[in-house]
């Protein structure tokens, strides 16, 4: 299935595995790349040396394209950009909009730049600065997210920019891929669905918690770091939501201290990173510290298997996922479902008088009128 995304980054399938801290490591990214989709390493939970090592590990296992996710507001963002360029990484994605200068530096190094956005105006801004594509995450997505549904946000962005748009938030199967293409996307990006595979290194007990979740078990809360954060409702989330200001501050200091020892980041650096996440919002000091060490809360669950003291970022789509296929099986299944859906739509199940040929959005090189992204 050729789309503007597959042509841009050189993958076989218009599917992106997102960069999830403590989850999107070399094993998952390698499996995704081998399956013909675009795997993204999550670098925010790595030191620069660990990032370089992880990139080389993936490169030693596959020659397929892959990417690295960066925090645009990190103090060492330029050092990480240099590593990406030096190591020949194909794609750089960002959880927050990168600066015009970072985009230019990456593009000068031959790297495809794909920021993630949650609003049309942000997509328009990074497109004007030279971004090659954007990942558009609707409110259904896991982790830090917005309040506009994918079905509303996606067509807004697809109509507003002339670069490939990748849809995220609420996707897990081939039907969703076809729907995204119909809205004008060039592909889909999925986090929770890739987390719940046999190639994910997340502990089995944590995966079981996700598989057991219903829609009511997935919540959007500000209690963790003061920003909207979609995750499973756990003991930790309930504790943070019910804690007073002093208790929250004590919890934040204790966890921040542990994260400082692991990351090597000093207190000034942690506070700086926490403040950088404020985005103009008023946060308490406990929220500032929790924002800085949210990776530690994620690590407790995603690495240590401590569902009682950790947090588990999750898209609402977790309520629809019931199995743990390999990444290869998942991608193959998803593409088969997409092809079957397109065939069904083109053979008479649509409204009377509908065209009998498959939707043109599924073929043709980027730049022509049939390109899903409109590029």
């Amino acid at each position: 299935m050729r789309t503007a995304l597959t042509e841009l980054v050189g993958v076989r399938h218009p599917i992106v595995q997102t960069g999830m801290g403590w989850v999107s490591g070399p094993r998952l990214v390698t499996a995704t790349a081998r399956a013909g989709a675009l795997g993204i390493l999550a670098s925010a939970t790595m030191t620069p040396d660990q990032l370089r090592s992880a990139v080389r590990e993936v490169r030693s296992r596959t020659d397929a394209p892959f990417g690295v996710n960066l925090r645009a507001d990190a103090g060492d963002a330029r050092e990480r950009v240099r590593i990406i360029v030096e190591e020949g990484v194909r794609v750089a994605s960002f959880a927050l909009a990168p600066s015009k200068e970072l985009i230019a530096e990456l593009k000068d190094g031959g790297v495809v730049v794909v920021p993630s956005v949650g609003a049309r105006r942000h997509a328009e801004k990074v497109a004007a600065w030279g971004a090659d594509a954007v990942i558009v995450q609707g409110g259904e997505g896991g982790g830090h997210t917005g309040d506009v549904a994918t079905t509303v946000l996606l067509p807004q962005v697809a109509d507003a920019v002339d670069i490939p748009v990748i849809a995220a938030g609420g996707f897990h199967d081939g039907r969703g891929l076809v729907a995204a293409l119909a809205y004008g996307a060039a592909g889909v990006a999925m986090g929770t669905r890739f987390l719940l595979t046999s190639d994910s290194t997340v502990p089995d007990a944590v995966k079981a918690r996700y598989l057991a979740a219903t829609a009511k078990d997935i919540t959007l809360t500000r209690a963790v770091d003061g920003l909207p954060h979609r995750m499973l409702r756990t003991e930790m989330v309930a504790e943070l939501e019910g804690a007073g200001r002093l208790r929250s501050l004590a919890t934040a200091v204790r966890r921040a201290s542990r994260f400082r020892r692991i990351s090597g980041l000093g207190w000034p650096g942690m506070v700086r990173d926490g403040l950088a996440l404020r985005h103009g919002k008023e946060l308490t000091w406990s929220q500032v510290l929790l924002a800085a060490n949210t990776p530690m809360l994620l690590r407790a669950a995603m690495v240590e298997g401590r569902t009682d003291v950790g947090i588990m970022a999750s898209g609402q789509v977790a309520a629809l996922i019931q199995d743990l296929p390999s990444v290869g099986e998942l991608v193959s299944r998803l593409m088969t479902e997409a092809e079957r859906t397109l065939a069904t739509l083109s053979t008479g199940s649509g409204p009377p008088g509908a065209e009998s040929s498959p939707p043109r959005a599924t073929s043709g090189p980027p730049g022509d009128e049939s390109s899903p992204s409109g590029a």
Side-chain angles (χ1 to χ4, degrees):
M1 182 180 288
R2 295 176 59 198
T3 73
L5 170 61
T6 63
E7 296 294 306
L8 177 65
V9 300
V11 293
R12 299 196 308 273
H13 308 303
I15 302 170
V16 177
Q17 163 253 302
T18 60
M20 299 167 281
W22 307 114
V23 177
S24 302
R27 175 173 157 178
L28 183 61
V29 171
T30 298
T32 303
R34 287 175 174 174
L38 180 66
I40 304 290
L41 279 169
S43 78
T45 52
M46 301 177 185
T47 66
D49 287 343
Q50 289 171 337
L51 170 59
R52 191 183 294 273
S53 177
V55 167
R56 291 180 176 179
E57 183 175 346
V58 176
R59 183 75 71 201
S60 71
R61 296 178 180 180
T62 178
D63 57 3
F66 65 96
V68 169
N69 182 258
L70 302 169
R71 265 187 55 187
D73 59 352
D76 59 0
R78 287 195 176 277
E79 180 181 0
R80 293 169 185 268
V81 165
R82 185 170 62 252
I83 291 171
I84 288 174
V85 173
E86 290 174 353
E87 296 296 330
V89 175
R90 178 61 177 159
V91 175
S93 69
F94 288 88
L96 299 172
S99 67
K100 186 176 182 179
E101 291 72 26
L102 279 182
I103 292 176
E105 188 172 343
L106 285 162
K107 289 175 69 69
D108 287 345
V111 182
V112 175
V113 181
V114 186
S116 295
V117 298
R120 180 179 62 185
R121 67 181 184 279
H122 297 155
E124 292 172 333
K125 179 175 68 175
V126 296
W129 286 352
D132 297 291
V134 288
I135 295 175
V136 178
Q137 178 173 305
E140 299 93 324
H144 291 116
T145 192
D147 55 5
V148 180
T150 303
T151 51
V152 175
L153 181 61
L154 175 57
Q156 282 185 344
V157 176
D159 290 343
V161 300
D162 60 359
I163 58 177
V165 174
I166 304 158
F171 297 99
H172 77 293
D173 62 7
R175 296 173 301 174
L177 172 57
V178 173
L181 296 177
Y183 273 114
V188 295
M190 303 183 297
T192 306
R193 177 64 275 196
F194 277 100
L195 184 157
L196 293 174
T197 62
S198 61
D199 291 298
S200 162
T201 57
V202 171
D204 289 343
V206 177
K207 292 179 182 178
R209 189 73 175 261
Y210 277 94
L211 292 177
T214 67
K216 293 182 179 180
D217 298 320
I218 304 164
T219 186
L220 186 65
T221 182
R222 292 178 178 268
V224 172
D225 53 20
L227 303 173
H229 206 145
R230 189 173 295 285
M231 60 187 67
L232 295 189
R233 189 181 298 280
T234 63
E235 295 88 338
M236 169 57 65
V237 174
E239 176 185 341
L240 290 172
E241 288 182 333
R245 179 166 294 189
L246 289 178
R247 183 179 172 190
S248 294
L249 181 59
T251 298
V253 170
R254 184 173 67 253
R255 294 183 181 280
S257 178
R258 186 180 178 204
F259 180 55
R260 185 176 64 86
R261 291 195 300 271
I262 291 177
S263 67
L265 193 63
W267 286 108
M270 289 189 64
V271 172
R272 182 192 65 241
D273 283 357
L275 291 172
L277 292 173
R278 293 177 66 177
H279 301 298
K281 296 179 173 60
E282 292 297 324
L283 301 185
T284 65
W285 277 109
S286 62
Q287 289 170 332
V288 168
L289 287 176
L290 281 168
N293 78 105
T294 292
M296 196 66 234
L297 299 176
L298 289 166
R299 185 183 188 277
M302 299 304 164
V303 177
E304 301 171 6
R306 295 292 305 277
T307 61
D308 55 333
V309 298
I311 61 174
M312 293 176 279
S314 176
Q316 288 182 311
V317 76
L320 300 176
I321 298 174
Q322 300 179 341
D323 61 352
L324 299 171
S326 69
V327 166
E329 292 168 341
L330 172 63
V331 172
S332 177
R333 178 204 303 174
L334 194 146
M335 295 310 302
T336 298
E337 291 171 348
E339 291 163 2
R340 184 183 303 124
T341 301
L342 287 169
T344 300
L345 292 173
S346 67
T347 55
S349 62
E355 293 286 344
S356 61
S357 59
R360 295 181 64 203
T362 64
S363 64
D368 71 4
E369 63 180 1
S370 66
S371 169
S373 68

